[in-house]
Amino acid sequence: MGVTVVVLAESEAEVRATLQRMCEVLGLVPLGRPSLALGRDRWMARAQVPAPQPQPAHE
């Protein structure tokens, strides 16, 4: 399992915008849609560091 990054924000729009910026800058992959964090009254979104791609074997 790779590294997962979590963003918490006061609004869905804020968490979406922040996650999108982080994905663009850091090359992260979003994991699903933002959701309300239970018991916190805040929005949460997650992204993951993509797995390294296998390198082709040299002949």
Side-chain angles (χ1 to χ4, degrees):
M1 179 179 278
V3 174
T4 299
V5 177
V6 176
V7 176
L8 288 173
E10 299 296 322
S11 71
E12 182 179 9
E14 185 178 13
V15 83
R16 278 184 187 275
T18 301
L19 188 72
Q20 182 178 354
R21 283 194 305 270
M22 289 177 66
C23 287
E24 290 170 0
V25 171
L26 301 174
L28 303 174
V29 177
L31 296 173
R33 297 182 356 218
S35 61
L36 278 171
L38 295 176
R40 297 183 183 259
D41 198 29
R42 299 187 77 190
W43 284 86
M44 175 182 76
R46 297 176 298 139
Q48 190 169 39
V49 176
Q53 298 297 316
Q55 298 296 320
H58 293 285
E59 294 182 23

